[in-house]
Amino acid sequence: MSQRALLIGECMVELRQAEGGLLRKGFAGDTFNTAYYMRAFLPGERPVDYFTAVGTDTISDELLAFVEGTGVGTGFVRRVPERSPGLYMIHLKDGERSFSYWRSASAARLLADDPAALRAAIDASDVILFSGITLAILSPDAVETLLSEIGRAKAGGKLVAFDPNIRPRLWDDAETMRRTISAGAAAATIVMPSFEDEATHFGDASIAATIARYRALGAENLVVKDGAEGITLDFGGAQSFVAAARAQKVVDTTGAGDSFNGAFLAKYLETDDPRLAAEFAARVAATVIAHHGALLPPAEFQALMRG
């Protein structure tokens, strides 16, 4: 039976810079970006679905049509009247990005408010991914519901991947952020942190400290991303290092980590080889940052698959 992947989170309306001072509309968000790359690099018979909530308005219709057009399934998406997708704008300076957000009325904040729908989606899936951003946008009760269902999936032998994706502006306070991120990691089988975030917000002095902390929480496998410094893998206690791929140019770093996650999981599900998966994902991320926006044009995929 084909393994079904379910990615849980928020897909937003994206405004990014275009020529002549104009803005170009798109749709993106950390876990959706990961779903996009998983769909691109997995065989077609392996379903990739997205779980979120959107409104019943025109922009929500456009968002769902876009997601479906990428091949990512929307059958588990909830429609919530009187709500709309969140919106963000990308600001670029020397290839590095910053963001402005408008998401207080985002329907995705209610994605776990129907526990039966959430359980049905998780029960139908074999691989689940969520992120720290997924947790940050939810109410405390919804976080508890989501982590309970994801913990049940882990206990049932499903592969659960978690990217802490730490965004302090989304949290009420640093202690709540650290506590909830830690709870998310405890519910996962693969944790995929960025070392810079872990050093800044958890005080980790080294990658070894990051690995030790997450393993103590119950994470079986770690993929620690450290930008141009490379990737450290710890799978079942066996560590290895994969060098970062060199980017021809840096245009926009938006989506670099998300593309790495999606490419890594796709290759890992196909090969069961974390080192091979990390090497492939590093090439994908290096290609993504040479383009504008989080989502690489499909024309680039075949070249990446050929290596």
Side-chain angles (χ1 to χ4, degrees):
M1 183 177 64
S2 297
Q3 288 184 313
R4 178 180 293 274
L6 181 73
L7 294 95
I8 302 173
E10 180 180 29
C11 186
M12 304 178 71
V13 180
E14 176 191 81
L15 297 179
R16 63 182 187 271
Q17 296 175 18
E19 295 76 15
L22 300 176
L23 294 172
R24 179 171 288 117
K25 181 183 73 177
F27 300 98
D30 68 330
T31 56
F32 171 70
N33 301 343
T34 300
Y36 177 84
Y37 289 102
M38 285 189 74
R39 176 66 283 152
F41 297 122
L42 277 173
E45 66 270 15
R46 289 199 167 191
V48 176
D49 292 304
Y50 200 58
F51 185 89
T52 191
V54 299
T56 56
D57 54 353
T58 298
I59 194 65
S60 294
D61 292 341
E62 292 180 10
L63 186 154
L64 288 181
F66 174 80
V67 173
E68 291 167 358
T70 70
V72 174
T74 61
F76 296 119
V77 174
R78 294 180 55 230
R79 305 299 296 263
V80 181
E82 309 301 327
R83 291 276 182 148
S84 294
L87 180 148
Y88 72 97
M89 183 184 298
I90 302 172
H91 310 283
L92 287 174
K93 183 178 181 180
D94 300 326
E96 291 299 323
R97 82 275 196 220
S98 60
F99 303 94
S100 296
Y101 290 98
W102 297 266
R103 70 197 320 168
S104 60
S106 169
R109 290 182 175 273
L110 308 180
L111 67 84
D113 284 19
D114 185 338
L118 176 63
R119 174 168 289 195
I122 290 175
D123 283 350
S125 306
D126 307 287
V127 179
I128 297 103
L129 178 137
F130 68 115
S131 76
I133 292 177
T134 309
L135 298 175
I137 67 171
L138 303 179
S139 71
D141 287 346
V143 167
E144 184 175 345
T145 298
L146 178 61
L147 291 181
S148 176
E149 291 301 323
I150 287 175
R152 193 173 66 88
K154 177 183 177 179
K158 297 178 188 282
L159 188 157
V160 178
F162 175 63
D163 182 349
N165 214 354
I166 300 172
R167 297 293 182 267
R169 289 173 58 189
L170 296 178
W171 296 92
D172 291 337
D173 60 81
E175 179 54 35
T176 299
M177 178 184 74
R178 287 190 289 265
R179 183 178 65 251
T180 309
I181 292 289
S182 297
T189 52
I190 298 179
V191 180
M192 310 179 77
S194 296
F195 177 63
E196 181 179 3
D197 287 347
E198 305 301 318
T200 300
H201 301 292
F202 282 91
D204 294 344
S206 65
I207 289 174
T210 296
I211 291 172
R213 178 168 51 82
Y214 280 123
R215 287 189 66 80
L217 290 170
E220 301 165 16
N221 304 306
L222 274 296
V223 181
V224 184
K225 298 162 286 186
D226 193 18
E229 301 303 313
I231 306 102
T232 301
L233 305 168
D234 186 303
F235 273 62
Q239 289 192 18
S240 59
F241 175 79
V242 172
R246 183 183 296 275
Q248 292 183 349
K249 57 182 176 178
V250 177
V251 173
D252 180 359
T253 58
T254 307
D258 307 330
S259 65
F260 179 96
N261 292 347
F264 178 91
L265 289 170
K267 186 65 72 172
Y268 181 66
L269 290 173
E270 286 294 284
T271 66
D272 199 32
D273 185 333
R275 183 177 180 84
L276 186 64
E279 290 170 348
F280 175 67
R283 294 202 310 273
V284 171
T287 304
V288 167
I289 64 176
H291 294 77
H292 284 287
L295 306 181
L296 192 67
E300 301 284 343
F301 293 150
Q302 289 304 315
L304 283 165
M305 294 296 287
R306 291 194 298 269

